[in-house]
Amino acid sequence: MVDWFVSTLRSYPEIAIFLSLGLGYYFGAFNYKGLGLGAVTATLIAAIIIGQLGITISPPLKATVFLMFLFAVGYSVGPQFVRGIAKDGVPQALFAAVVAVCCLAAPFLAAKFAGYDVGSAAGLYAGSQTISASMGLATDAINRLGLSPEETKRLLDAMPVAYAVTYIFGTVGSAILLALIGPALLGIDLEAECKRYEEESGGKKLQGGAGTAWHHYELRAFRVRQGGKVVGLTAREAEALVPGERVFVERLKRDGKILDATEDTRIQAGDVVAVAGRREVLVQLIGEGAEEVDDRELLAVPVEGVDVLVTSKEADGKTLAELAQWPTARGVFLRRIARGATATDIPILPNTQIHRGDILTLVGRTQDTTAAAKALGVPDRPSDVADVAFIGGAIAIGALIGAFVYKVGDVPLTLSTSGGALIAGLFFGWLRSVHPTFGRIPSSTVWFMNSVGLNMFIAIVGISSGPGFVAGLQQLGFSLFLWGIFATSVPLILAMYIGKYIFKFHPAILLGCCAGARTTTAALGMINDRAKSQIPGLGYTVTYAVGNTLLTIWGMVMVILLT
């Protein structure tokens, strides 16, 4: 039975790949307080174990899934990357670039002092900085060194060994450094700083996540009695009686007839008005001279929650307080702001800026949300259909550009097909945020391309290098783990002080900027937990977009520097 199983895996290597994926995703899902191996590392370990059976996999498959992965990465972060290098995110983008250089320098110095070969150095870099994608570009670069097939295989086999040894501290250590040790090093009270940031931004303490006066939409009916303080006022004047709150007179019933209220509609005694807003402020709006009534006919209005992809030039960079003054914002409430490749929750505060590419979840009457969606961008309604023609064409264009080789003297310069696919993703992801009429890729499809594409690549790397893994681990020894601690810790410690004293970021978002520049989502989760706020996420999205791009490219640069 065992012989049959082994021979079957050798004859059908695709089974070995899917077995590695299944085991990797299953065991990678286990975590403690948000920290665990993760799917990538678990898949690599499973693949290395399976690879001990001596399974051969066709090389083109590895390149194919890696191109798919890199395009998805670029597509996801494109809008934030372009904003970071071209607009108001410049300080955060520059910070991410500086941190990325530190993240390259520390593993480079470690590899030089320890005397590691280029394959081990690339793995040390990828693991300590938890940037698995860099191994793909490092693989391309090693394949282009012109070495013998035996030497090339030896270097490529060393890469996943170093990655596996250094990745665990790269993940856990980053979260501990930023969330637990960072505030003490910087001398800040993270929770207090987030509260101060919210107050400076015109907000209040967030309960259970992002939630202020912009939330808690309800529609209730009240009868206006003679002498009520809203009698004779227009709907707009009545709504202004509760400053700082979003409340709207949506409809009213007068003499048995139901009318849609506009800003200029005057309220009369005896009217039954339907008012939208937070329940605790509705009675205050109508006054003590009102009684709540259960008027099902008046309250029977179509209500929806809809996600809107922001594409409007006019909305780009505006604060929520400014957008609230738009005529199309009347009757609409904001439930959530999601930004960037990781769908980071952005705190909902009056001074929070909206950017192109953001996903806003709006709640209100269908007619109101439709009008607001048209003004802000396009509804991002659920769909299972991806524009595969766009995906195939975009990856092909990027890969063709990357395949071009330009010689400076005798030195060949090239992006490689991998770098071309990444840049194509950045460009077309940004273009989609500006012109959303084409190139739709549902978030579930992006996740599949991103996660499964990377893990299939990792599975192939692990299976191919499996036979040499144990020997490589014995050769590199425990010292590699210690050098991994050095390569992980030094850039993060430098990043915290650079952000505080050179870039002078607000303490509430500083650690979020550091987490984004190092693309460590696990650390951001711990930072938010320690802060009891989503405020640190404001520093994450731009730095993540720039950091993710540069750290991936550094895999190729590391090989160039060491050869």
Side-chain angles (χ1 to χ4, degrees), residues 71-87 309-313 316 355-358 390 394 421-439 441 545:
F71 177 79
V73 169
Y75 182 89
S76 299
V77 304
Q80 288 72 41
F81 182 84
V82 173
R83 165 171 292 280
I85 62 176
K87 213 170 182 182
L309 173 66
V310 178
T311 62
S312 167
K313 287 183 180 179
D316 189 30
H355 300 157
R356 274 183 173 179
D358 286 351
F390 163 78
L422 176 63
I423 292 174
L426 290 169
F427 173 75
F428 286 108
W430 166 79
L431 193 63
R432 158 75 183 171
S433 73
V434 179
H435 301 289
T437 56
F438 72 100
I441 309 178

Side-chain angles (χ1 to χ4, degrees), residues 264-504:
D264 300 323
T265 300
R266 290 199 175 273
I267 300 172
Q268 300 177 8
D271 287 348
V272 179
V273 294
V275 186
R278 292 202 300 157
R279 188 187 188 287
E280 55 266 37
V281 304
L282 297 185
V283 174
Q284 180 183 353
L285 172 65
I286 302 300
E288 296 179 358
E291 65 173 296
E292 186 169 2
V293 297
D294 183 17
D295 192 321
R296 297 185 180 183
E297 183 184 14
L298 181 64
L299 297 177
V301 296
V303 177
E304 72 170 351
V306 61
D307 289 340
V308 177
L309 173 66
V310 178
T311 62
S312 167
K313 287 183 180 179
E314 290 72 23
D316 189 30
K318 293 288 192 302
T319 66
L320 294 181
E322 292 171 331
L323 293 176
Q325 303 306 312
W326 287 18
T328 51
R330 190 171 187 277
V332 176
F333 295 81
L334 181 58
R335 178 181 293 167
R336 181 177 185 241
I337 306 171
R339 178 174 298 164
T342 56
T344 304
D345 282 324
I346 301 300
I348 299 176
L349 302 168
N351 287 344
T352 297
Q353 289 186 331
I354 297 301
H355 300 157
R356 274 183 173 179
D358 286 351
I359 301 291
L360 309 184
T361 302
L362 305 181
V363 179
R365 294 190 301 172
T366 302
Q367 65 194 68
D368 295 328
T369 56
T370 300
K374 185 176 180 180
L376 293 169
V378 294
D380 192 40
R381 302 188 187 278
S383 172
D384 296 329
V385 180
D387 190 344
V388 180
F390 163 78
I391 296 173
I395 293 177
I397 291 172
L400 285 171
I401 293 174
F404 180 76
V405 178
Y406 179 75
K407 286 193 174 182
V408 178
D410 293 330
V411 180
L413 298 178
T414 177
L415 287 172
S416 80
T417 55
S418 302
L422 176 63
I423 292 174
L426 290 169
F427 173 75
F428 286 108
W430 166 79
L431 193 63
R432 158 75 183 171
S433 73
V434 179
H435 301 289
T437 56
F438 72 100
R440 175 179 175 80
I441 309 178
S443 58
S444 57
T445 305
V446 174
W447 176 89
F448 183 88
M449 295 171 64
N450 196 322
S451 180
V452 179
L454 173 61
N455 280 294
M456 285 190 71
F457 169 80
I458 292 296
I460 296 169
V461 168
I463 292 171
S464 301
S465 63
F469 183 86
V470 175
L473 185 59
Q474 291 173 340
Q475 177 184 352
L476 294 172
F478 185 69
S479 62
L480 175 61
F481 180 77
L482 297 179
W483 279 116
I485 294 176
F486 168 83
T488 295
S489 303
V490 170
L492 287 176
I493 294 172
L494 290 175
M496 288 187 278
Y497 286 109
I498 290 171
K500 180 178 181 179
Y501 293 108
I502 297 180
F503 287 86
K504 301 186 185 301

Side-chain angles (χ1 to χ4, degrees), residues 209-229:
T212 64
W214 308 83
H215 280 270
H216 312 304
Y217 170 80
E218 289 188 4
L219 185 66
R220 294 183 174 270
F222 297 86
R223 178 175 286 109
V224 181
R225 292 177 178 174
Q226 188 69 40
K229 60 183 179 182

